[in-house]
Amino acid sequence: MSDALLARARELDAADPLAQYRESFELPEGVTYLDGNSLGALPKATRERLMHVVGQEWGSDLIRSWNPTDAGGDWISLPQRVGAKIAPLIGAQANEVIACDSVSVNLTKLIGAALDMRPGRKIVVSEPGNFPTDLYMIQGLDSAEQRLANRDAMLDALDEDVALLLLTHVHYKTGAMYDMAALTKAAHDVGALVLWDLSHSGGAVPVDLNACGADFAVGCGYKYLNGGPGAPAYAYVASKHHDAFRQPITGWMGHKAPFAFSDTYEPADGVSRMLAGTPPILAMAALDCGVELMTEIGMERLVAKSRALSEFFRTAMAEHCPQMRCVSPSDPAKRGSQLSFYHEEAYALCQALIARGVIGDFRAPDVLRFGFAPAYVSFADAARAVTELADILETVSWDKPEFKQRAAVT
Ligand SMILES: *Cc1c(COP(=O)(O)O)cnc(C)c1O
């Protein structure tokens, strides 16, 4: 390993106010984990919480745990309680956010709600190359018509036929971040609503939905929020729309009085009408632990660390791996907590790195992506990844058949 780079990393780690939080996660010895933007690491508290929920709340208290019990319980309000904890991370009020379903399902609910609130308009504007599910969910609704515009032409795509602007705030592949305030205003100027996908933003970059006047948002629970594989997602509905919005997946848990068992749907108040079916309690409890840690650290410290870490990595890459072309914005204020690099052999490079214990990921067709989850990634991790990659490039050790074999999930 380059001695100067490692020495510098050690200095930065020694001065890092978040260094202690690494201990709050279970990270295996010898692994440098730069993929928390795809699956966040396991908080130690989650293991204990799940043991309690499974052993005591489910195992002993059984169905009584839907209501508050001596051991905890109160399962029924977990979606709202977890949502309220997520709210300060994204500049929202506690009663504007709820944890439920997947991002995909929440997109369908909110695209449907927006179209319903803009009768006579069908067009949903988004960008080509957006995260696929965002586009697929527009395409799945007969009432919606998709209009795709490139980033630099986004403003021209907005006119009085547009019902909704649906964008991913931080692009999953490049890390490029939209100006949320400016685009929200531009959409409102033509009478359209806005839905932000915060999957790569929540817990990683500053987001102020209230200050931007955003209408709707969705975000992912298993990335920077460390909620575990397939964790519930979250949804935000601005309080100004709490009376007017109706979403199409009108399940019993979103009913005003689910246990009245009425034949007729009547929406619950506010964001609670985003619920559809019974919440997955084990997954919800795990998400609660992940979110708790993020709120304890606070967005300001998370953002400061994320920027310092990714800048350290970017400058080290430019020096030690100059053949990797960075495709993320060089200004840390204009990107998410990740850096992506173009290389024709990105897939094999990624596999060769994983074989050495450095986990980043590959995004088709030719991007090598590194995520910097600020709560647990150290500067020494970043230094190690750069040094290993430099060695792999120099020795061409990526050029082996086993590194070119594609798995089902990449
Ligand atoms: C990860 C991610 C999702 C995930 O959607 P699910 O339906 O929860 O699997 C959606 N959108 C974006 C932009 C993502 O990065």
Side-chain angles (χ1 to χ4, degrees):
M1 191 175 298
S2 151
D3 292 343
L5 186 64
L6 187 60
R8 177 82 189 115
R10 293 222 167 103
E11 264 172 42
L12 291 165
D13 281 331
D16 173 15
L18 301 196
Q20 66 187 95
Y21 286 101
R22 189 180 176 87
E23 276 306 299
S24 304
F25 292 86
E26 293 199 9
L27 291 163
E29 206 56 46
V31 167
T32 292
Y33 194 59
L34 301 181
D35 211 1
N37 52 324
S38 211
L39 175 65
L42 169 64
K44 287 180 179 160
T46 305
R47 187 186 290 276
E48 279 176 37
R49 173 79 176 270
L50 288 182
M51 294 294 279
H52 174 77
V53 175
V54 170
Q56 178 66 40
E57 297 189 359
W58 178 17
S60 291
D61 296 339
L62 288 160
I63 201 164
R64 290 169 288 186
S65 291
W66 283 108
N67 290 309
T69 61
D70 290 345
D74 198 12
W75 291 345
I76 198 71
S77 70
L78 261 176
Q80 288 86 354
R81 286 189 282 134
V82 175
K85 262 184 213 171
I86 294 171
L89 301 175
I90 54 175
Q93 303 304 305
N95 69 345
E96 292 175 317
V97 184
I98 194 157
C100 57
D101 298 309
S102 59
V103 174
S104 303
V105 171
N106 290 331
L107 281 167
T108 286
K109 295 176 201 168
L110 290 174
I111 297 166
L115 290 167
D116 180 61
M117 287 167 67
R118 289 293 177 272
R121 300 186 182 204
K122 302 188 61 153
I123 292 178
V124 179
V125 171
S126 194
E127 71 169 320
N130 194 352
F131 192 83
T133 211
D134 297 60
L135 301 181
Y136 300 163
M137 287 316 197
I138 303 171
Q139 292 161 22
L141 285 167
D142 286 343
S143 50
E145 192 179 307
Q146 172 179 279
R147 179 188 287 172
L148 301 184
N150 288 318
R151 292 190 159 227
D152 47 8
M154 198 56 71
L155 295 179
D156 298 332
L158 297 171
D159 60 31
E160 319 246 308
D161 295 328
V162 177
L164 179 70
L165 173 62
L166 163 55
L167 292 174
T168 300
H169 182 224
V170 170
H171 195 275
Y172 76 99
K173 203 187 284 188
T174 66
M177 183 157 72
Y178 275 113
D179 181 339
M180 183 182 285
L183 278 151
T184 301
K185 184 176 180 305
H188 287 172
D189 284 347
V190 296
L193 295 159
V194 184
L195 167 50
W196 288 101
D197 185 336
L198 303 179
S199 292
H200 287 279
S201 308
V205 301
V207 176
D208 199 339
L209 291 168
N210 282 171
C212 294
D215 303 288
F216 306 116
V218 293
C220 185
Y222 53 79
K223 293 170 180 158
Y224 294 104
L225 298 186
N226 309 306
Y234 56 92
Y236 157 89
V237 177
S239 55
K240 64 186 168 191
H241 298 314
H242 280 190
D243 290 336
F245 95 101
R246 297 276 296 209
Q247 60 91 356
I249 307 183
T250 50
W252 74 304
M253 281 290 153
H255 191 278
K256 200 175 182 65
F259 294 93
F261 293 97
S262 149
D263 282 348
T264 307
Y265 180 78
E266 201 186 329
D269 287 340
V271 78
S272 292
R273 73 183 59 161
M274 282 296 287
L275 293 177
T278 306
I281 297 305
L282 302 183
M284 206 56 94
L287 175 62
D288 193 20
C289 293
V291 172
E292 179 77 37
L293 255 177
M294 295 302 102
T295 51
E296 186 188 318
I297 303 173
M299 277 318 298
E300 208 169 311
R301 292 198 295 167
L302 288 166
V303 170
K305 167 85 180 279
S306 152
R307 289 182 178 172
L309 200 53
S310 66
E311 271 306 271
F312 174 77
F313 189 88
R314 194 179 65 82
T315 47
M317 281 290 285
E319 188 182 336
H320 298 275
C321 305
Q323 59 275 66
M324 302 294 297
R325 183 164 59 80
C326 186
V327 294
S328 305
S330 54
D331 177 355
K334 295 203 168 126
R335 66 171 185 246
S337 198
Q338 68 172 73
L339 286 168
S340 301
F341 298 85
Y342 164 81
H343 194 285
E344 265 185 6
E345 294 292 341
Y347 186 80
L349 287 171
C350 184
Q351 295 307 310
L353 274 171
I354 292 172
R356 294 179 180 212
V358 176
I359 303 182
D361 66 17
F362 161 80
R363 283 296 172 262
D366 46 27
V367 165
L368 185 56
R369 188 175 72 154
F370 299 99
F372 304 95
Y376 53 83
V377 174
S378 67
F379 291 90
D381 285 331
R384 179 172 174 225
V386 173
T387 317
E388 293 289 0
L389 183 55
D391 186 67
I392 288 166
L393 287 163
E394 197 186 301
T395 57
V396 201
S397 65
W398 52 266
D399 194 8
K400 295 194 179 124
E402 70 259 36
F403 295 149
K404 297 181 181 177
Q405 194 66 41
R406 303 268 169 128
V409 176
T410 63

